[in-house]
Amino acid sequence: MTNDKKNKAAAPTMRIDEAAVQAARDNLSDGAVTPGVHPYAEEICKLLNDALATEWVCTLRYRRHHYTAKGLASPAIADEFLTHANEEQAHADRITERIVQLGGAPDLDPDTLSKRSHAEYDASTELQAMIRANLVAERVAIEVYRQMIQLIGDKDPTTSRMLREILAQEEEHADELSDWMAKA
């Protein structure tokens, strides 16, 4: 037997799951949650709700730092804090929309946001401490998003793609903050 015949024999057959396609036709009330995502939707929503809490805590931390930053370098950095706050809020909005698409309920309970957040709120008053706190939070978010992408993988390609896009922006934030640490 030639190598070509062995490779063809060993390769699995690629076929569409027709039963899942029929279920997609039949269960219209499930919206975007098709049979391939359905078994994982609840767990994905839990992961996303914790990420949502993190994004809200980061938004609040950045906004506080924007308004309270003082010092010679602070006006430019404070402006960037506000830019980051707005980008974190956009992440929260995207995550909220995805949770709803998956049939979940976004958990925005103020009493539990900080408990579920992977990042911490920070009330620093010194510019260097603010930069450091935000850099730590960005690095934590980067690690959490990488793990979430790994966990979700191809179980939900739409959520994985969204998380990759958010991750790229979090990495940009961390690079900027790292540069500011060196300059401030």
Side-chain angles (χ1 to χ4, degrees):
M1 189 181 274
T2 67
N3 280 341
D4 286 340
K5 288 182 181 177
K6 284 181 187 176
N7 288 340
K8 285 183 184 178
T13 305
M14 296 178 68
R15 293 198 177 124
I16 299 295
D17 180 350
E18 293 299 330
V21 172
Q22 186 58 47
R25 284 187 184 103
D26 295 341
N27 300 317
L28 299 179
S29 64
D30 288 344
V33 183
T34 59
V37 174
H38 191 271
Y40 310 104
E42 188 175 325
E43 287 182 66
I44 291 170
C45 285
K46 188 204 177 310
L47 291 170
L48 290 175
N49 264 312
D50 290 349
L52 179 60
T54 302
E55 293 295 346
W56 271 99
V57 167
C58 289
T59 298
L60 294 170
R61 186 188 57 255
Y62 271 124
R63 284 195 184 283
R64 183 186 193 287
H65 290 171
H66 164 73
Y67 289 110
T68 60
K70 293 183 174 99
L72 291 176
S74 67
I77 292 175
D79 287 345
E80 283 299 316
F81 285 161
L82 183 58
T83 298
H84 287 202
N86 292 335
E87 290 169 349
E88 301 295 342
Q89 184 62 59
H91 299 166
D93 292 343
R94 289 183 71 191
I95 291 167
T96 301
E97 289 171 358
R98 187 62 184 156
I99 291 168
V100 171
Q101 267 187 333
L102 291 171
D107 186 351
L108 295 169
D109 182 349
D111 290 335
T112 65
L113 282 177
S114 64
K115 293 175 188 132
R116 291 182 295 109
S117 174
H118 299 288
E120 296 176 3
Y121 183 78
D122 178 76
S124 295
T125 56
E126 182 184 299
L127 190 59
Q128 186 72 18
M130 290 177 185
I131 295 168
R132 184 181 190 292
N134 287 312
L135 178 55
V136 168
E138 293 294 354
R139 289 175 50 81
V140 166
I142 289 166
E143 181 58 30
V144 168
Y145 283 128
R146 285 188 185 168
Q147 288 184 31
M148 287 176 67
I149 291 164
Q150 189 73 26
L151 287 168
I152 296 169
D154 63 356
K155 294 173 188 79
D156 180 0
T158 301
T159 299
S160 291
R161 184 180 63 246
M162 177 192 71
L163 294 174
R164 281 184 179 87
E165 291 166 0
I166 292 171
L167 173 61
Q169 199 159 45
E170 302 292 11
E171 289 174 339
E172 288 175 20
H173 292 173
D175 282 344
E176 289 174 358
L177 291 161
S178 182
D179 288 346
W180 299 343
M181 287 264 313
K183 294 175 187 175

